[in-house]
Amino acid sequence: QVQLVESGGGLVQPGGSLRLSCTARGTILSINDMDWYRQAPGKEREWVAGTTSSGTTTVADSVKGRFTISRDNAGNTVYLQMNNLKPEDTAVYYCNADVIQTIMPRYLEVWGQGTLVTVSS
């Protein structure tokens, strides 16, 4: 089994910063893509940023220039640095990983439990 454990959410004022972390634990041989998604109240889940195992990163246009994704392959951890936060960034943020397990089934897509980010004065 594989679990994604997220941390770092909370309440922050507009213009502030937060850093989210997501660590994968369990029967992991390797991890391909790791991504962050978010879901605001009353809206569908949307992709925010992603990183490949080789370190290529991409971010959504809505957060470009403010959010940065990075990854520690040795620690099976992905980070989302969020700067200049806006009220519209308020959402539950979810980590997603494409995992290659040491057991069957070999390939597994895993979601974290989500961490709430609230941007408000």
Side-chain angles (χ1 to χ4, degrees):
Q1 286 186 334
V2 177
Q3 291 183 327
L4 299 182
V5 180
E6 300 160 355
S7 62
L11 173 64
V12 64
Q13 293 187 342
S17 298
L18 282 176
R19 188 193 196 204
L20 306 183
S21 299
C22 170
T23 298
R25 296 171 179 163
T27 53
I28 300 168
L29 179 64
S30 63
I31 303 176
N32 290 332
D33 295 349
M34 299 186 81
D35 296 84
W36 287 98
Y37 289 76
R38 68 184 180 185
Q39 187 165 18
K43 295 188 177 181
E44 293 187 353
R45 190 172 298 188
E46 65 173 351
W47 174 81
V48 175
T51 176
T52 67
S53 57
S54 62
T56 301
T57 62
T58 51
V59 296
D61 288 343
S62 58
V63 303
K64 194 167 291 183
R66 300 187 298 121
F67 290 13
T68 303
I69 187 170
S70 60
R71 179 169 173 170
D72 171 12
N73 283 331
N76 291 329
T77 298
V78 64
Y79 304 95
L80 187 67
Q81 177 67 43
M82 304 185 295
N83 298 328
N84 190 22
L85 283 159
K86 304 176 180 181
E88 53 262 41
D89 295 317
T90 295
V92 178
Y93 285 71
Y94 297 92
C95 178
N96 173 275
D98 294 328
V99 176
I100 300 175
Q101 293 194 106
T102 58
I103 60 174
M104 298 301 286
R106 189 70 69 194
Y107 298 97
L108 189 66
E109 181 183 20
V110 188
W111 288 89
Q113 80 284 359
T115 184
L116 177 62
V117 171
T118 303
V119 184
S120 175
S121 55

